[in-house]
Amino acid sequence: MRLAAIRAALIWLALASAPANALEAYTVVGDAIPAPLGGKVGNPERGRALVLDRTQGNCLICHQVPEPNEPFQGTIGPGLAGVATRLDAGQLRLRLVDASLLNPATVMPPYFRIEGLRDVAPAFRDRPALTAQEIEDVVTYLANLRTP
Amino acid sequence: MSLAGRALAIALLALAGAAAAQEVKPGSAFLSPQMQRQQEDEARNPGWLWVEQGEELFSRREGAAPSCVSCHADPRQSLRGAAARYPQVDAASGKLMNLEGRIEQCRADRQKQPAFGYESQDLLGLTAYVASLSKGEPLAVSADGATKPFYEAGKAFYERRQGQLNLACTQCHDGLVGQKLRGDTISYGIGTGYPAYRLEWNGLGSLHRRLRACSLGVRATQFDYGSDEYLALELYLAVRAKGLALEAPGLRR
């Protein structure tokens, strides 16, 4: 009885820790990742929350978004109002996943990469800044920003 | 990028680096005019409260131990410019030492007293007091001789990407100077204003406390106060700011 419980716990641990080390695979086509990561469906409301949250996307340290109630938005990256008229979902996805694939010197952080990073703080180690589901949420939010 | 394009990009980067090195401006240059005036007004810059406490500590005697002023008579003269020469390599130990480290060394070796501890109010006060005696003096730290390996380590740290956000100090403090990061205007990231009173801290803090904030900002390992990593970085920042006037105690957002 007890052994079975331990075995079940071990199997659960193995399953639960697997995705942390192996990120969902994706295929780059041109300057885009056309298919949603892990086949997930994004939710724009959750995406908006992730973009604004300082411990998650924290995008406003660098970007401006159409949120009049958010003071002090950054000027480091391009403004994101109307970004969906310049980039489609696949192009947005690639820029979030790892913008250095397009521009090796980029300042834009790689939100879906764990390899090749150094001195990552313990709380953020061995997991991407955003999960596959969260990337899809943010992509869906950005893909709705049509007004410049 | 083509080979020619890459060569051009590298040449441009080198040029930008050289230009930036010449124009490095103090942190206060990026404050609002009101905050600039407040920093320069001893009655309105709260950092001077720590300076006053430090001045008191400087002549206080504890038991039989000599006070600081027993060895450093007339500090306004004898210690003018001292802070502008740190960090430096300690001749006896061969270790890189910043102003905080030197004060702790005097305390332990000459006064035979227990160390204050990094970021304690007493050490902050004494550091701010000694730094204030060099206000306006040009920073004079060199990268030659014994300091060379520490300088190289600091430079490598400054230039390498780190943390989950994968950013190097140089990307913000050379590449994005003047840009807005949320409510802050990015400066050249030098330490001439430290210890500084930060409104966000509601108190005085050391340069290493500020460095820990930047590390956290890119979600990178925060090294310890007084760690070899931050000491080397402090040296690199000081050499980068060579010739700029010390402005401690600074006032920052």
Side-chain angles (χ1 to χ4, degrees), chain B residues 28 31-41 44 251:
Chain B
S28 58
L31 298 175
S32 67
Q34 296 100 292
M35 276 189 73
Q36 285 176 351
R37 281 195 298 274
Q38 197 184 342
Q39 170 174 293
E40 291 315 308
D41 183 346
R44 291 196 304 135
L251 182 69

Side-chain angles (χ1 to χ4, degrees), chain B residues 146-163:
Chain B
T147 52
K148 185 102 204 254
F150 298 105
Y151 171 83
E152 295 298 340
K155 183 170 190 287
F157 189 119
Y158 186 83
E159 290 173 351
R160 75 176 171 244
R161 288 177 180 263
Q162 50 188 294

Side-chain angles (χ1 to χ4, degrees), chain A residues 26 28-37 51 59 63 65 78-102 108-112 130 132 134-146:
Chain A
Y26 56 82
V28 175
V29 181
D31 76 335
I33 299 174
L37 299 179
V51 164
C59 312
H63 291 282
V65 294
L80 297 178
V83 70
T85 61
R86 304 194 292 274
L87 302 168
D88 66 22
Q91 291 170 309
L92 290 167
R93 189 174 292 112
L94 177 85
R95 283 151 182 79
L96 278 173
V97 164
D98 190 355
S100 76
L101 294 171
L102 296 177
M108 169 81 185
Y111 277 92
F112 194 67
L130 296 175
E134 289 166 345
I135 294 280
E136 291 312 316
D137 294 340
V138 174
V139 166
T140 314
Y141 163 74
L142 295 175
N144 283 329
L145 298 181
R146 305 209 150 270

